[in-house]
Amino acid sequence: MEITVLREDLVPQGTPAFRALLEGRRIRRVARRGKNVVIRLEGGRVLLVNLGMTGRLLACHPSASDPVSSHPGVHLLLDGGLRVIYDDVRRFGCLEALGPARWRDRNRTLGPEPLSAGFTVENMAARLTGSTSPIRSWLLDQRRIAGVGNIYANEALWRARVHPLRPASSLTPEEVRRLHRALRGILRAAIRARGTTLRDYRDATGGEGSFGTLLRVYGREGDPCPRCGAPVVRTVLSNRSAFFCPRCQPSPAGGAAPGAAAFGVP
DNA sequence: CATACGTCCTGCCAGC
DNA sequence: TGCTGGCAGGACGTAT
């Protein structure tokens, strides 16, 4: 593998260290951990790619149907002649080269995979206890659970009928059971649909994901809730949009009155 | 210690 | 038609 860094800010460790760990090594396999693409190389080394908001990994054979790269940031030239381009308009993503020990440490900072067999309702319930965070923030925290982003957090909470502002530890066992089920269902469906292309997301061949047509509340402010017909509400939580149905997902403040801040933590 | 907010960056779109 | 403000899939550093 040969590497050219066009945008230095995509490689926080610096180009020389990045290249030194990777160049000349063969790729063994490609996997995923949370929101990271994990490219495993010889010698236990790892090229970790986080796409941020607008990042894409594009595989380019020399052909007419190559996907379009508008903002190339890093070129990877593989031995077989395949060119892989990391492309990123906003450059919130990053690429990192890690040795075996550093990858092990990084892996440990990430929470469990929600689709893994080990992620049971009991496991989730145990992790929720003791956290006063709003459940939407809890779902987005990669240390608590890996791989859940804003779209799927909102969709899962709608499906589970849990308000985004509910303190994590305030969920009843029944609500935890519903959220666990909803989260796994949403993620499986989204993977089946090859993701959600709102604007920028593309797979390695330049293709779009179709889960956008299956969104129930995300980006649908004012639309009728598909379950009860009440207009979907948008609010801002931690500087990010939260969408929910005010009727299906009752406010934690108790009743319908916003402003009555009676957060009851049992 | 844990949670909350501003910031990084560019492009697009609605509204004026 | 052209400009402006708001908004965007993420995550980290710092303040509280």
Side-chain angles (χ1 to χ4, degrees), chain A residues 111-175:
Chain A
E113 289 289 329
L115 293 179
S116 68
F119 186 70
T120 60
V121 181
E122 295 74 27
N123 188 308
M124 184 172 176
R127 289 180 158 274
L128 284 166
T129 59
S131 172
T132 60
S133 282
I135 187 64
R136 209 281 312 260
S137 303
W138 190 96
L139 288 169
L140 294 183
D141 187 338
Q142 301 299 298
R143 294 165 305 184
R144 300 184 139 130
I145 183 169
V148 182
N150 200 29
I151 293 178
Y152 304 128
N154 280 283
E155 291 295 306
L157 288 169
W158 175 81
R159 194 185 278 195
R161 284 173 279 138
V162 174
H163 192 284
L165 279 174
R166 290 278 303 282
S169 60
S170 78
L171 269 64
T172 66
E174 174 59 20
E175 287 172 329

Side-chain angles (χ1 to χ4, degrees), chain A residues 54 78 85 88 108 145 168 180 208 217 254:
Chain A
T54 54
L78 310 192
I85 301 176
D88 194 345
R108 274 200 284 261
I145 183 169
H180 177 266
E208 302 185 357
V217 287

